Amino acid sequence: MRGYITKRLLIAVVTLIGMSMVIFVLMRLTPGNIADIMFESAGYVDQADKKKIEMELGIDKPIPMQYLSWLGELTQGYLGKSYRYERPAWEIIKPRLPVTLELALLAMAFSILLGVPFGVISAIRQDKPIDYVLRVVSLAGLSMPSFWLGMIVILLLVHSLGWIPSVTYVSPFDDLRANLAQFLFPALAVGYRSSALIMRITRSAMLEVLREDYIRTAWAKGQRERSVVWRHALKNASLPVITLLGIEFAFLIGGLVVTETVFNLPGVARYLIDAIQGRDYPVVQNLVMFIAIIVVLANLAVDLLYAWVDPRIKYGKA
Amino acid sequence: MPLRRFVRLAPLMLLLVLALALPAPAQAPKSGGVLTIHPLSAPPSLSPHEESTIAVVQQASPCFSNLVYYDPAKKQESVDTIIPELAEKWSWQDNFRNLVFLLRKDVKWHDGKPFTSKDVKYTFDMVRGAPDAEGRLRVNPRKLWYDNVEAIEAPEPYTVVFRLKKPQPSLLPMLASGYSPIYPQHVPLADFKNKCVGTGPYKLKENRPGEYVEYVRNPDYFVKGRPYLDGIKWIIIKDRSTQIAAVQAGQLDVAGSGWNKANADTAKKGKPQLVLLENDSNVNDNVLVNFKRAPFTDVRVRRAFNLALDRKSYLVGPRQGGASFGGALLPKPAGVWGLPLAEVQKLPGMGDAVKQKAEAKKLLAEAGFTDKNPLKVTVSTRALAIYVDTASWMVDQLRQVGIDATLEQIETGVWHPKMTRLEYQVALNLTGVGIDDPDAQLFENYRCGSQRNFSGYCSEEIDRLMAEQSSTLDKAKRLKIVNEIDRKLQADGARPVLGWGKQYAVHWPHVKNYPQHENSIYNVSRMQDVWLDK
């Protein structure tokens, strides 16, 4: 197992280096740069002054030189300086990480808490009224974009209660209750969509497993429904669900742009868009790398979970 | 009622009637509270001298002071509504060649250092790009404003003299703009990217990029008894629906930066007690026609374009009723220098739509463009909703006269480089002017070779008239020249103005003295007189 993890981590490093090159080159191929953006605010572009700014920021050098210089800084633990705010990029990124992580984790929690039980119930009550109801609920979840749902939630809250979650970020360390009130609705809006997906996958995996011989044997041995369903069937049906959870979590880290915008949460995804529009290369590079690391780690965690859930899966052996 | 009792009660009843009939006495302002408000967008910095967006002026103004400022209480900004700020007094000398300011002696920067005339000299030497300036702005959008300043002298710690090459009455209005704060000589310029050290009514508490800019009351503010508020929090909310919900839920006291009429009406509909404000914004929608490219070198084609764009349809379409019509300068009654209303009604595009479109077709045919050989045009615009809405309308209008128009959306990051290099045929643009003043508007946008003259328009006669109006001291005479310039610009089809957009905002009734000016949105954000009746 240790060898497997080491191998996976080495592959992850190669993947991340590849990612870094792609994002580095893509950002620089996009028309316009930070000097253009700075003049954008001034309302014109002075070519001579623009050249001076490009020189100051080091973006006049060839792309490979810029890339090597960034990698050099990274190895020293320095993430570079935000061009837009002239602050260390880490100073800009750091406060945004807990916001996105909290939202993603809460949304995941909601999606698991709703999706797995509903998927199981739907499978064991196949073609019964409750199955139809839950399938409609899940289809609705898949059909409604989470930002749209978020907007509807905000409108309903303001019209019915005259209240909406705080539009400025409240840290859980300052006020846990207010923080939860702030994250509850966006997490529900995002989690609902994910839960619908999880429910459908759980249902189909469960239906498949419930038709297996060993389940029939368990029934024949007179085991209780709870034991058959939750202990024997669900454990074996959970592999595709775990895969999906890994993918969903990675998506939630970088894909909550609109939800963060609608609920005015200062998270990574929303800021990433701002940084791309502002051609703030150091911030974009580091944020994308952060998302890539989460994706790689989430996939690794999923693979390791496979082995834990299904002892037949062995890593590190031919 | 017995007569005796009536006589006894009569004075009381009289008092009661008088109390009801007389206007309520003005409420005494209360101190305290934090005003929450959303800006147009996150500020790229807190340095107004390096920026040209209202977002910076809005959020940096509470921190700074000018030499002079526009009176927040007077609705229309003009040279007559300028009040002292850091300058106690000023006087024009040597037939408007020297402007002398006597400064306040009781002013401290937010870091406790004293304010002196050296700070004023430092600031404006830097802005005008003087060879011996101590500071250098990386981006200097308003250098042109101070082109006529020959030297700035600080002969004494509290006296400053602006020496001009020729008389220029507009210098004082330009110094009163929200874009003209005084910077401290002892603070590095780069610090204003994130921080703010000023002499204004509020001190910066925290600036979290993309989240909020928060101020607290400056206890050492030189105007005694001000500001009333304990602080101001500019909360950056990108989504317009969230802005509306936030003000309705009471999380914002004021909302509306960048709103159109529909947004304000929606907010008011949900909470009828909200106070709705409407004012001219001194921001116009204009059409950039590339004078350096055929066929726009042909005056007939330019005129056809102007006629094809029916202004009344523009008003009800993209502007949803929130605009006024005019020429190159903000029209009356909000504006001071605009063309008379009767003349505005006769400008191209203002007449009968059917007749004007027929005339446009005729002009195009004369220029060689017919239904079989249509003029193919790409209408470029910035990929922002407020631009795209109007540009889409424009494409439709041009198609109605047989022009084969297509829309090109240009990402914000490359919009100005393209405009500066004149890499477009026709474009829909928005232009905001810091102050309602001919010097500020005309030189920047119409003078031959100006960096923001995006259409490449150049007329020696116009340049001469611009210089003439700039040094004309008599206001009536100056207005006459300005109107003459405007007429010629409209006849030449130089950057036709579709209309001047109105701005809408809402605030809760407990917000008092919230300043709004009729002819500019840039010079009202000091907020020292705002108070909350809570």
Side-chain angles (χ1 to χ4, degrees), chain A residues 192-245:
Chain A
Y192 177 41
R193 192 202 68 90
S194 297
S195 75
L197 209 56
I198 288 169
M199 189 200 135
R200 293 194 73 81
I201 298 291
T202 307
R203 182 179 181 275
S204 67
M206 279 294 285
L207 284 174
E208 209 173 294
V209 171
L210 286 171
R211 291 188 187 109
E212 294 283 342
D213 289 345
Y214 65 89
I215 295 293
R216 205 174 299 133
T217 308
W219 286 122
K221 281 166 74 180
Q223 288 208 3
R224 286 182 185 171
E225 186 185 36
R226 196 198 301 171
S227 169
V228 174
V229 172
W230 298 101
R231 215 173 121 201
H232 297 293
L234 181 59
K235 200 170 176 189
N236 284 299
S238 57
L239 282 188
V241 179
I242 289 169
T243 312
L244 183 67
L245 287 177

Side-chain angles (χ1 to χ4, degrees), chain B residues 417-438:
Chain B
K418 268 180 171 276
M419 293 301 109
T420 307
R421 291 195 294 259
L422 271 78
E423 287 174 2
Y424 69 93
Q425 282 184 291
V426 179
L428 183 280
N429 185 41
L430 263 77
T431 302
V433 187
I435 49 171
D436 181 19
D437 179 87

Side-chain angles (χ1 to χ4, degrees), chain A residues 1 302-315:
Chain A
M1 178 69 97
V302 163
D303 287 352
L304 297 178
L305 268 174
Y306 283 166
W308 180 69
V309 171
D310 188 345
R312 289 170 300 180
I313 297 173
K314 300 273 183 235
Y315 291 119

Side-chain angles (χ1 to χ4, degrees), chain B residues 45-85:
Chain B
S45 77
L46 292 174
S47 178
H49 283 299
E50 293 178 273
E51 312 286 354
S52 278
T53 163
I54 180 66
V56 171
V57 180
Q58 278 178 331
Q59 291 165 87
S61 285
C63 168
F64 287 109
S65 309
N66 286 19
L67 286 171
V68 288
Y69 201 54
Y70 286 104
D71 187 343
K74 303 270 166 57
K75 288 283 173 198
Q76 190 185 49
E77 293 173 3
S78 77
V79 74
D80 304 322
T81 69
I82 292 173
I83 55 170
E85 242 189 350

Side-chain angles (χ1 to χ4, degrees), chain B residues 459-489:
Chain B
S459 156
E460 278 179 24
E461 191 195 348
I462 290 286
D463 279 8
R464 185 186 57 74
L465 286 169
M466 278 197 269
E468 189 184 332
Q469 66 77 28
S470 176
S471 54
T472 301
L473 303 177
D474 182 280
K475 201 175 162 186
K477 260 190 197 166
R478 190 178 177 201
L479 178 63
K480 217 172 152 188
I481 305 170
V482 170
N483 283 171
E484 193 186 333
I485 293 170
D486 208 343
R487 268 176 222 122
K488 183 149 176 52
L489 289 173

Side-chain angles (χ1 to χ4, degrees), chain B residues 365-442:
Chain B
E366 282 173 19
F369 300 104
T370 57
D371 288 345
K372 283 181 187 166
N373 173 36
L375 171 59
K376 289 187 179 169
V377 161
T378 302
V379 177
S380 306
T381 201
R382 258 169 116 165
L384 297 174
I386 193 166
Y387 285 70
V388 175
D389 288 352
T390 309
S392 308
W393 164 86
M394 196 173 141
V395 165
D396 176 58
Q397 293 281 308
L398 295 177
R399 282 180 183 165
Q400 288 178 31
V401 294
I403 295 172
D404 184 1
T406 49
L407 182 66
E408 176 196 33
Q409 295 189 39
I410 296 174
E411 210 226 333
T412 282
V414 281
W415 170 250
H416 280 120
K418 268 180 171 276
M419 293 301 109
T420 307
R421 291 195 294 259
L422 271 78
E423 287 174 2
Y424 69 93
Q425 282 184 291
V426 179
L428 183 280
N429 185 41
L430 263 77
T431 302
V433 187
I435 49 171
D436 181 19
D437 179 87
D439 280 14
Q441 164 73 326
L442 298 174

Side-chain angles (χ1 to χ4, degrees), chain B residues 242-304:
Chain B
T242 312
Q243 292 167 2
I244 294 172
V247 73
Q248 288 179 334
Q251 288 198 39
L252 294 176
D253 296 308
V254 185
S257 285
W259 281 14
N260 58 26
K261 195 170 187 304
N263 301 135
D265 287 343
T266 306
K268 174 106 178 134
K269 201 174 159 193
K271 291 283 171 191
Q273 59 272 53
L274 287 170
V275 178
L276 197 151
L277 307 167
E278 180 193 77
N279 65 294
D280 279 80
S281 62
N282 209 10
V283 177
N284 65 58
D285 292 307
N286 55 80
V287 180
L288 297 171
V289 179
N290 191 336
F291 273 73
K292 306 277 181 195
R293 272 198 198 181
F296 305 107
T297 42
D298 186 335
V299 70
R300 290 169 302 184
V301 175
R302 295 200 302 268
R303 185 161 171 79

Side-chain angles (χ1 to χ4, degrees), chain A residues 40-41 86 274 279, chain B residues 51 138 193 238 382 411:
Chain A
E40 159 59 36
S41 172
E86 299 200 2
D274 286 349
R279 305 291 190 278
Chain B
E51 312 286 354
R138 278 216 291 212
K193 200 78 186 160
K238 294 186 92 174
R382 258 169 116 165
E411 210 226 333

